[in-house]
């Protein structure tokens, strides 16, 4: 008998057609599909699962109950699709399951998914990394919630970098979040994208300033399933990437000589690319 297998699958931010092709195939192959109905859109499972597959809603069971299913999969050689929202590597509680599944004797794999922060940026029509404005993205959450944060990972400390931030799991405490961002150096006019249930039928994407975030969330009653994108890049316009500038060169393209001189002069003067 073949060994059983557990595939940890990133279902994406919500919409059924944002799951990867590999993720959809693994669900279609599965004898058992475990998914959280509170976080994963039903269509992500029902559109791909076999008619005879066993469907288990994990939002109503504990970790130990899931492990019991993994043990049965090992004993009977079953294929299990464990479907997580977004990407399993971000706040997915996957590591404890992965380690346990290996110990049980199952084959294990992780299928990445589209994270909510990328989906939110796409819906907002914004790039998170803009030349001369921000070239890094910090993914984090506000400390003090149900899951302990390491002491060195304070929100205000990350905010001192002044780059783009994607802040998860913090909508219930927006006043505290705003205070921490201010303490880290973000001014009140910093652009913010407030993204609620991105790609779900009831999705909501709002743009505001940092000093408006608390009022916006209270008015819309956004206490959960809300992501915040913060930083100057979200309001930046008129910037040009060097990558496709005629003065830029790489392995597959030679630069235009005049454009190259213009680009080098702009860099030396600290100006945006012409």
């Amino acid at each position: 008998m073949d060994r059983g297998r557990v595939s940890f699958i990133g279902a994406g931010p919500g919409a059924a057609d944002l799951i990867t092709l590999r993720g959809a195939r693994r669900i279609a192959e599965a004898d058992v599909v475990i998914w959280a109905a509170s976080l994963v859109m039903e269509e992500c499972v029902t559109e791909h699962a076999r008619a005879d597959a066993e469907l288990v809603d994990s939002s109503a069971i504990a970790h130990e109950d899931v492990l019991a299913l993994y043990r049965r999969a090992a004993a009977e050689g079953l294929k299990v699709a464990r479907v997580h929202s977004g990407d399993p590597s971000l706040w997915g509680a996957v590591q404890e399951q992965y380690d346990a599944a290996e110990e049980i004797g199952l084959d294990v794999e992780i299928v990445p998914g589209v994270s909510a922060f990328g989906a939110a940026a796409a819906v907002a029509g914004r790039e998170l990394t803009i030349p001369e404005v921000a070239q890094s993205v910090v993914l984090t959450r506000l400390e003090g919630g149900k899951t302990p944060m390491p002491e060195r990972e304070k929100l205000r400390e990350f905010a001192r970098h002044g780059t783009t931030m994607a802040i998860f799991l913090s909508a219930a405490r927006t006043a505290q979040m705003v205070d921490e961002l201010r303490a880290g150096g973000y001014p009140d006019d910093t652009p913010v994208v407030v993204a609620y249930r991105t790609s779900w039928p009831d999705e909501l994407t709002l743009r505001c300033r940092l000093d408006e975030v608390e009022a916006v969330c209270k008015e819309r009653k956004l206490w959960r399933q809300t992501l915040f994108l913060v930083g100057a890049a979200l309001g930046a316009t008129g910037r040009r990437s060097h990558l496709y500038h005629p003065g830029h060169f790489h392995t597959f393209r030679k630069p235009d000589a005049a454009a190259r001189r213009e680009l080098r002069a702009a860099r030396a003067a600290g100006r945006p690319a012409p």
Side-chain angles (χ1 to χ4, degrees):
M1 183 176 65
D2 292 337
R3 282 163 51 115
R5 183 186 73 198
V6 175
S7 300
F8 297 101
I9 300 165
D17 58 355
L18 285 177
I19 194 170
T20 66
L21 294 174
R22 183 181 297 180
R25 283 198 298 268
R26 291 294 185 266
I27 293 174
E29 295 166 357
D31 302 294
V32 181
V33 181
I34 307 171
W35 62 295
S38 58
L39 298 172
V40 176
M41 194 177 295
E42 184 177 2
E43 288 80 0
C44 288
V45 173
T46 58
E47 286 188 9
H48 306 296
R50 301 194 324 246
D52 63 339
E54 179 182 354
L55 305 184
V56 180
D57 180 4
S58 65
S59 61
I61 60 177
H63 174 66
E64 287 71 17
D65 301 308
V66 174
L67 294 187
L69 291 168
Y70 293 166
R71 293 188 188 95
R72 178 158 66 88
E76 300 177 16
L78 303 177
K79 292 182 174 65
V80 178
R82 179 66 168 98
V83 185
H84 288 259
S85 61
D87 183 274
S89 66
L90 294 174
W91 298 285
V94 164
Q95 195 63 58
E96 62 199 50
Q97 297 181 73
Y98 190 103
D99 295 342
E102 279 197 321
E103 186 175 342
I104 288 169
L106 292 163
D107 291 328
V108 190
E109 67 172 343
I110 296 177
V111 180
V114 177
S115 177
F117 80 91
V123 171
R126 306 309 304 172
E127 185 176 349
L128 302 179
T129 54
I130 301 293
E132 291 93 35
V133 179
Q135 288 292 287
S136 304
V137 181
V138 175
L139 310 180
T140 189
R141 47 163 294 206
L142 181 64
E143 62 271 10
K146 295 178 181 178
T147 302
M149 290 280 284
E151 182 63 30
R152 64 188 178 277
E153 294 188 11
K154 299 291 187 183
L155 190 62
R156 66 174 63 193
E157 297 303 323
F158 285 131
R160 296 190 199 285
H161 293 283
T163 189
T164 307
M165 297 184 71
I167 305 173
F168 295 72
L169 305 169
S170 304
R173 295 173 291 140
T174 51
Q176 182 184 350
M177 181 188 74
V178 170
D179 286 345
E180 289 295 304
L181 292 172
R182 282 174 172 149
Y186 283 99
D188 280 346
D189 62 353
T190 301
V192 178
V193 171
V194 181
Y196 171 76
R197 286 167 63 90
T198 299
S199 84
W200 288 69
D202 58 346
E203 75 170 2
L204 185 63
T205 305
L206 303 169
R207 298 169 181 83
C208 63
R209 295 163 37 119
L210 182 61
D211 59 359
E212 298 169 333
V213 169
E214 185 180 4
V216 165
C217 290
K218 283 184 177 180
E219 179 186 356
R220 303 284 185 148
K221 295 182 173 58
L222 303 179
W223 315 127
R224 57 192 300 271
Q225 294 184 305
T226 302
L227 167 72
F228 303 94
L229 303 177
V230 182
L234 299 166
T237 58
R239 300 281 179 166
R240 180 171 183 180
S241 169
H242 291 186
L243 182 60
Y244 295 105
H245 192 283
H248 181 72
F249 67 93
H250 52 68
T251 304
F252 302 98
R253 191 182 74 226
K254 294 181 178 180
D256 175 83
R260 180 67 179 167
R261 288 192 293 272
E262 290 182 2
L263 185 59
R264 293 181 68 179
R267 284 175 176 169
R271 301 192 308 268

